Amino acid sequence: MQAPPLQAPPLELLRQRSSTKWRTYPDDVLPLFVAELDFALAPAITDVLTQAVARGDTGYTPPDPGIRTAFSAYARRHWDWEVTPERVRSTADVMMGVVELLRATITPGDRVVITPPVYPPFADCILEAGGVVERVPLVDTGDGWELDLLGVEAAFAGGARAMLLCNPHNPTGTVHSRETLAALADIAAGFGATVISDEIHAPLTHPGARFTPYLASSPVAARTGYAVTSASKTYNLAGLKCAVMVTAAAETNAVVQAMPAEVEWRTGLFGALANVAAFAPESDEWLLSLRAALDENRRLLAGLLAEHVPGARYRIPDAGFLAWVDLSALGWGDNPAAKILREARVALHYGPAFGAEGAGYVRINFGCSPEVLREAVGRIGALVRA
């Protein structure tokens, strides 16, 4: 049965929030930039956090707060992925997990492949871990985006030692196929390289696409890679600080288990409690309603852009709540989001922040009410007409 779409709270209530989305710009700006959702928390998450506050349960995170078994059951339920709980270890957030995995698998000065346009902190994390960024842009096929496997192979042949994979991809919303992931694993294995897969948007895969975890794409992938993910993006828990690093082989698990205890100590207690509640079956109905709302919004955005911003080029994403929109035909320069913020009072993420391939693009967060989305695109349309 189709779940009813989740409803976002009114704008006046959202503006009472104290997070980045609602405190970066004044109230006359509609914030559709940072990847925060506008919806209320899943009831199971609200309950567990409310009870913790009532008990004064705000101390240190215990050695096993239940994340391992909760994530393992979630992976089996949603992706038919068998994850051994003992091969799950937590930390504060996905990017911290990425940095620690890079530190454990490369040496300073090693090159690490990224596939722009891609989440801006990828490059920062490589530098923090002592690596050097090697860019192998996605291939624009005309219908979508794909990994440039020949380019990745050339990078590994030239000495790159690792790759940061984004699956589903941010900002394009691309869900890479099992065949593509398995081919990537074969290439990495052939050069003794490591693949670290950021899979934070996986629970928000839309109808018509099928998410495959990198580690589950093939036996070779299981041996060559690591996954890092969290409930934080889907369930809007970024401020609570909890993510998991997952392995599928004894050798890679040994690398993660050898990390300093401090890596796991960074997990926030509220983050652990909330992630366990998010991964529980009780939150699945809420997730279905969220996906229904986002599915409607990703299609609504296509119609709104066609009506109000006819020069825009937008491909409906396979996953997530982020739209990658090409506005270069409007002649607003490499960073059209700056003009849109200044003159239309709509905050979008700057395209060039995702790499040179983002020139002329904006990233739009459609994880909001249809009314807010209509108002935002209407303002941009008025700017076009002006």
Side-chain angles (χ1 to χ4, degrees), residues 52-358:
V53 171
R55 290 192 302 266
D57 191 5
T58 55
Y60 290 111
T61 307
D64 183 10
I67 298 170
R68 300 167 192 163
T69 53
F71 179 77
S72 177
Y74 188 87
R76 182 184 306 112
R77 212 163 58 244
H78 289 276
W79 306 308
D80 296 321
W81 181 22
E82 294 295 330
V83 173
T84 303
E86 290 72 27
R87 291 176 177 171
V88 178
R89 194 174 187 195
S90 70
T91 190
D93 55 45
V94 165
M95 288 299 100
M96 186 170 289
V98 166
V99 170
E100 295 300 336
L101 285 167
L102 285 172
R103 285 176 174 152
T105 56
I106 67 170
T107 55
D110 282 349
R111 284 177 284 126
V112 180
V113 174
I114 62 172
T115 55
V118 74
Y119 186 49
F122 269 28
D124 297 334
C125 288
I126 292 169
L127 297 176
E128 184 179 344
V132 176
V133 175
E134 175 137 350
R135 302 168 67 261
V136 180
L138 294 180
V139 175
D140 186 340
T141 66
D143 297 318
W145 290 269
E146 295 179 353
L147 295 177
D148 180 0
L149 293 176
L150 291 177
V152 173
E153 183 173 19
F156 287 154
R161 302 304 305 144
M163 174 177 172
L164 292 189
L165 173 69
C166 200
N167 181 42
H169 195 90
N170 175 5
T172 65
T174 305
V175 174
H176 300 300
S177 70
R178 180 181 296 272
E179 294 75 18
T180 295
L181 297 174
L184 172 63
D186 288 342
I187 293 168
F191 292 97
T194 298
V195 176
I196 300 170
S197 185
D198 171 357
E199 301 183 350
I200 198 170
H201 294 274
L204 296 179
T205 301
H206 297 301
R210 182 174 178 81
F211 169 73
T212 300
Y214 174 76
L215 297 179
S217 65
S218 76
V220 175
R223 297 194 304 269
T224 60
Y226 303 82
V228 194
T229 191
S230 173
S232 64
K233 199 64 64 181
T234 297
Y235 300 88
N236 210 42
L237 307 174
L240 301 186
K241 294 303 178 185
C242 178
V244 293
M245 299 172 286
V246 186
T247 56
E251 296 80 6
T252 50
N253 185 53
V255 171
V256 174
Q257 296 304 324
M259 290 178 179
E262 187 62 31
V263 172
E264 197 158 11
W265 269 103
R266 295 168 186 158
T267 307
L269 177 57
F270 276 18
L273 295 172
N275 270 247
V276 170
F279 292 142
E282 290 77 12
S283 294
D284 285 354
E285 184 178 351
W286 181 93
L287 175 60
L288 290 173
S289 290
L290 172 63
R291 286 203 297 237
L294 298 180
D295 185 27
E296 288 189 357
N297 277 0
R298 67 178 181 145
R299 300 176 190 281
L300 172 63
L301 180 58
L304 292 172
L305 289 171
E307 177 183 357
H308 296 285
V309 193
R313 191 166 71 100
Y314 162 60
R315 294 171 181 145
I316 296 176
D318 298 330
F321 52 93
L322 306 170
W324 188 233
V325 183
D326 183 1
L327 299 182
S328 56
L330 302 181
W332 291 351
D334 287 348
N335 186 16
K339 178 181 176 69
I340 291 169
L341 174 60
R342 185 175 62 251
E343 300 181 27
R345 309 305 284 163
V346 177
L348 307 177
H349 207 319
Y350 295 169
F354 296 82
E357 295 73 17

Side-chain angles (χ1 to χ4, degrees), residues 2-22:
Q2 179 69 36
L6 208 59
Q7 303 296 308
L11 200 55
E12 57 267 25
L13 290 181
L14 291 170
R15 292 201 182 280
Q16 295 176 26
R17 293 183 177 182
S18 57
S19 63
T20 290
K21 184 173 186 181
W22 299 100

Side-chain angles (χ1 to χ4, degrees), residues 354-379:
F354 296 82
E357 295 73 17
Y361 281 80
V362 295
R363 195 190 73 177
I364 302 175
N365 176 347
F366 58 82
C368 57
S369 70
E371 293 74 22
V372 167
L373 197 58
R374 289 190 184 97
E375 172 67 18
V377 179
R379 291 187 189 185

